[in-house]
Amino acid sequence: LTPINGEGARIRGFEISGQYAFDNGFGIAANYTFSDSESPFSNDIESSLPIPSVAENAYNIQVYYENAGFAARLSYAWRHKSFQQNFQFGDAVFGPVLCPANPVGGCGITRTYGVWNNEYGQLDGQISYAFNDRFELTVEGLNLTEEDMSQYFAYPNMPFTYATGPPPILAGGRLRLGC
């Protein structure tokens, strides 16, 4: 999907955030976002759907420690369910009332239902060490609690996609060249 600007949508809400760094290198940061959105998107079941991928409620919290080149972070992010996109598929109806032109063979119709992301929370962690002001190594783990990501089709009891697996572990380095 490629995001495009459209007409007729609106979003209202607020965000609150805060951060505090203690004197001993520890710190905490948190935010909460409320978004009430409406768009011209509709399907066979719903109208005035929310703006795609905008959850009504979302929050993030991070605790960290930074001292003498060493840094460690734990971050948790959570999102409420959100509308993702519409999905169209072909269907057939049968019978003399629904399809008088071909009651036995049926008539083809196109149905459009919404795809929704289920609520989702994820815990990530990162550890890094800066050997000096030019060289740093980092190890990061995503989705450490192995939460499952899923989508449903129109109704929560109609699964659409499901993703699970071990958490990705990433390693990297940063080298600053020049002055």
Side-chain angles (χ1 to χ4, degrees):
L1 292 174
T2 302
I4 57 170
N5 289 328
E7 292 183 25
R10 73 161 180 79
I11 187 167
R12 294 184 182 136
F14 65 89
E15 181 173 10
I16 184 167
S17 65
Q19 181 173 345
Y20 188 79
F22 298 94
D23 292 335
N24 59 4
F26 285 95
I28 187 168
N31 73 13
Y32 167 77
T33 303
F34 172 79
S35 303
D36 180 25
S37 70
E38 189 176 286
S39 76
F41 288 113
S42 64
N43 56 44
D44 293 349
I45 298 170
E46 301 166 289
S47 62
S48 299
L49 287 160
I51 295 172
S53 298
V54 175
E56 186 174 59
N57 296 287
Y59 68 85
N60 302 286
I61 187 163
Q62 179 184 78
V63 293
Y64 62 89
Y65 177 76
E66 295 176 347
N67 191 10
F70 176 78
R73 300 178 186 282
L74 274 177
S75 303
Y76 183 78
W78 180 86
R79 289 175 52 115
H80 193 252
K81 74 174 186 175
S82 62
F83 172 70
Q84 180 64 36
Q85 65 186 11
N86 278 327
F87 182 83
Q88 292 184 325
F89 62 96
D91 198 359
V93 293
F94 299 92
V97 175
L98 296 174
C99 184
N102 191 1
V104 177
C107 296
I109 58 172
T110 299
R111 300 198 187 272
T112 304
Y113 287 174
V115 175
W116 291 80
N117 299 313
N118 278 309
E119 68 178 48
Y120 179 73
Q122 176 173 313
L123 178 69
D124 300 334
Q126 179 182 6
I127 296 174
S128 65
Y129 185 75
F131 292 89
N132 53 46
D133 62 349
R134 295 185 177 269
F135 182 62
E136 179 180 347
L137 291 178
T138 303
V139 175
E140 183 175 9
L142 305 176
N143 194 13
L144 296 173
T145 55
E146 298 185 28
E147 296 298 319
D148 303 324
M149 292 176 44
S150 61
Q151 294 178 317
Y152 62 89
F153 192 54
Y155 301 103
N157 65 343
M158 295 175 61
F160 188 70
T161 64
Y162 184 83
T164 189
I169 305 297
L170 310 168
R174 185 176 305 161
L175 178 63
R176 185 177 307 155
L177 302 173
C179 301

